[in-house]
Amino acid sequence: MRAELRRKAVAVCTDKIAKKGAGVGLSFYAFFANKNDTPELLMEAARWWIETHRLDHFEKAVKIRAMIEAGD
C-alpha cells in the first residue's frame, strides 16, 4: 500500500476511534469520499483488504490502524 494511502487510512481510523470509541468498525470504503474520483487508490485498498489480508467487510478500526502502522 502506497504511503499516501497508508497516511490517509491511519488518519481515518484515528478519527473514527476518537469519535466513536475503540469498538468502532469500518470498511476500506471509509478511506474514500462517496464518489469514485480515485479508482486506482480504491482498488489498491480493496486488494490490500480483500486479497492480501482476507479481512471481513467490517473490521475494528484499531485492528486496521495497527496493521497499517506495523507495515502489513
Side-chain angles (χ1 to χ4, degrees):
M1 184 186 304
R2 68 184 82 177
E4 168 191 358
L5 184 52
R6 285 184 180 277
R7 283 190 300 273
K8 185 175 186 176
V10 167
V12 168
C13 288
T14 300
D15 182 60
K16 295 274 187 190
I17 294 164
K19 289 180 179 174
K20 298 188 177 190
V24 68
L26 51 75
S27 77
F28 66 88
Y29 290 110
F31 308 143
F32 300 93
N34 285 336
K35 54 187 175 181
N36 193 9
D37 55 354
T38 55
E40 299 85 17
L41 279 178
L42 179 65
M43 291 307 296
E44 187 173 332
R47 278 190 299 276
W48 181 89
W49 194 285
I50 299 166
E51 290 179 355
T52 304
H53 295 287
R54 306 223 181 264
L55 298 169
D56 290 337
H57 184 73
F58 283 96
E59 293 285 349
K60 300 290 184 199
V62 292
K63 174 182 177 178
I64 299 302
R65 182 176 66 184
M67 290 174 69
I68 294 169
E69 290 176 337
D72 288 346

